[in-house]
Amino acid sequence: MAVTTRLAWLHEKTLQNHFGGKRLSLLYKGSVHGFCSGDLLDRCYNQGPTLTVIYGEHRIIGAYAEKSYQERKAASIILLALQETKISEWELGLCTPERLFCHDNVKYNSTTNFQIELRNRKVIMGSKTTEDLGLVQNCTISIQDCEVFRCEDLLDERKIKGVTELRKSLLSALRTYEPYGSLVPQIRILLLGPVGAGKSSFFNSVRSVFQGHATHQALVGTNRTGISKKYRTYFIRDGKDGQYLPFILCDSLGLGEKEGGLCRDDIFYILNGNIRDRYQFNPMESIKLSHHDYIDSPSLKDRIHCVAFVFDVNSIEHFSSQMIEKIRRLRRELINAGVVHVALLTHVDSMDLITKGDLIEIDRCVPLRSKLEEVQRKLGFALSDISVVSNYSSEWELDPVKDVLILSALRRMLWAADDFLEDLPLEKQGIKER
């Protein structure tokens, strides 16, 4: 059975970020490996920087060694006390691991001011140390458990190589993608969502990945009425060979709370392929059938094959009841019309305590998982239909971690579009029943 840490996720993220974005890999756990300094040191010698965490009845304290513990050699030690997301520090200075962990019966020395006695399940510290760590004046702490972690870079060479290879694989798969049954030359994906959710930024991000550098073709903004006033169908050229890619991203006016947003009728005209590129929306009324941008008889290639609802991950909890009902009603109508749809959460990198390492292992990230569950609960999307991305906004250099999230989300949309095409009645697929 795998040995797991007692640290709560919030405490672990606080410690990781405090030490410069480190991964904490568990080396030793007293309640599993035994409360013996010899066993601890056997597991923790020559492991690089380590963090020892002591769990008392009402507090958590720790000792950080900047370099590997080595037998009989002093290392620089920093003591810390953790309370919720606040960490207080005190520099202990140079200390051998044998003295720190009271090994070979090394007795407490008042000049040391700190010692961990595993066999006796207690920590002894001087009053000055206690005061500097912001603890209650109690110079002895009873140990409920003790854990030692190796502190590693969140993105080591092996992980970076894995991300780079995955990015290369996704790019290849999307460049060579062919819509189901070759029923259409390109998949049309409609980006739909509240004002400021990141729809235009997602298009810019997709284009940036395939161009190999940051691009900003679609205007983006933060004002309450949004920037997108026209219906845009964005064809994307591959920066590798200049050919158009097998998908089109369609951007539109954002959804408003009550008035001022995209008209409901216009949404279904877009889905049916009735609206031309660059049509200027009128928030007060839908397109007239006599308008020069209205298409009378659209073909299958003009239709929307997948809808991606785009939401700012930080705004979900602030959605009004009107916005929630509007999205749920739209979803019901899409389901009745047989239109497949997915959800895309943007700005995940702006969430509290989220690091780049978390973006590699989304499934293990507790705050992100809770956001996905909130979208499922409030809006009804299946967890498997929700993707997360970190769009490019002000960056000039591309990031392989961001690229993987963007490409993975796009791949999920194309899979959904294939489901839509496969589910079409045979006559709409151009196939005659026998």
Side-chain angles (χ1 to χ4, degrees), residues 357-386:
D358 294 312
L359 300 183
I360 294 177
E361 300 176 318
I362 294 295
D363 293 340
R364 296 179 57 186
C365 184
V366 174
L368 269 178
R369 191 164 63 242
S370 68
K371 289 291 185 182
L372 298 180
E373 291 170 353
E374 186 177 13
V375 172
Q376 180 189 43
R377 184 177 64 257
K378 284 186 174 182
L379 304 177
F381 289 91
L383 292 176
S384 59
D385 289 334
I386 308 172

Side-chain angles (χ1 to χ4, degrees), residues 260-376:
L262 185 62
C263 289
R264 173 189 173 280
D265 288 345
D266 276 343
I267 295 175
F268 288 91
Y269 285 134
I270 292 172
L271 294 177
N272 290 330
N274 295 117
I275 296 183
R276 297 185 197 279
D277 181 37
R278 300 181 187 273
Y279 166 70
Q280 180 79 39
F281 289 108
N282 180 351
M284 303 309 295
E285 63 178 7
S286 62
I287 189 171
K288 301 290 186 182
L289 302 189
S290 58
H291 197 284
H292 63 275
D293 283 329
Y294 182 85
I295 301 172
D296 283 315
S297 303
S299 63
L300 180 59
K301 69 179 180 61
D302 300 314
R303 291 189 61 181
I304 294 299
H305 311 116
C306 172
V307 173
F309 282 89
V310 184
F311 307 118
D312 181 341
V313 71
N314 299 297
S315 70
I316 304 295
E317 61 186 290
H318 304 299
F319 276 179
S320 67
S321 57
Q322 292 96 330
M323 179 59 74
I324 291 173
E325 177 52 33
K326 174 175 282 190
I327 294 168
R328 293 185 75 98
R329 184 174 64 251
L330 264 175
R331 287 196 65 244
R332 288 194 297 269
E333 292 174 345
L334 290 175
I335 291 169
N336 290 336
V339 179
V340 295
H341 51 283
V342 296
L344 180 67
L345 303 187
T346 63
H347 301 111
V348 294
D349 54 331
S350 66
M351 294 175 62
D352 290 342
L353 297 176
I354 295 296
T355 64
K356 190 180 292 187
D358 294 312
L359 300 183
I360 294 177
E361 300 176 318
I362 294 295
D363 293 340
R364 296 179 57 186
C365 184
V366 174
L368 269 178
R369 191 164 63 242
S370 68
K371 289 291 185 182
L372 298 180
E373 291 170 353
E374 186 177 13
V375 172
Q376 180 189 43

Side-chain angles (χ1 to χ4, degrees), residues 48-100:
T50 56
L51 174 65
T52 300
V53 177
I54 302 293
Y55 303 90
E57 186 176 359
H58 300 295
R59 59 179 65 96
I60 298 175
I61 61 173
Y64 176 69
E66 297 177 335
K67 295 183 178 180
S68 285
Y69 287 135
Q70 296 184 8
E71 191 171 355
R72 308 294 176 187
K73 290 186 178 181
S76 179
I77 305 295
I78 297 174
L79 303 181
L80 56 94
L82 174 62
Q83 297 178 353
E84 295 300 330
T85 58
K86 180 182 178 183
I87 293 178
S88 51
E89 281 189 0
W90 187 76
E91 190 171 342
L92 180 64
L94 294 174
C95 182
T96 65
E98 290 79 16
R99 179 169 295 282
L100 179 65

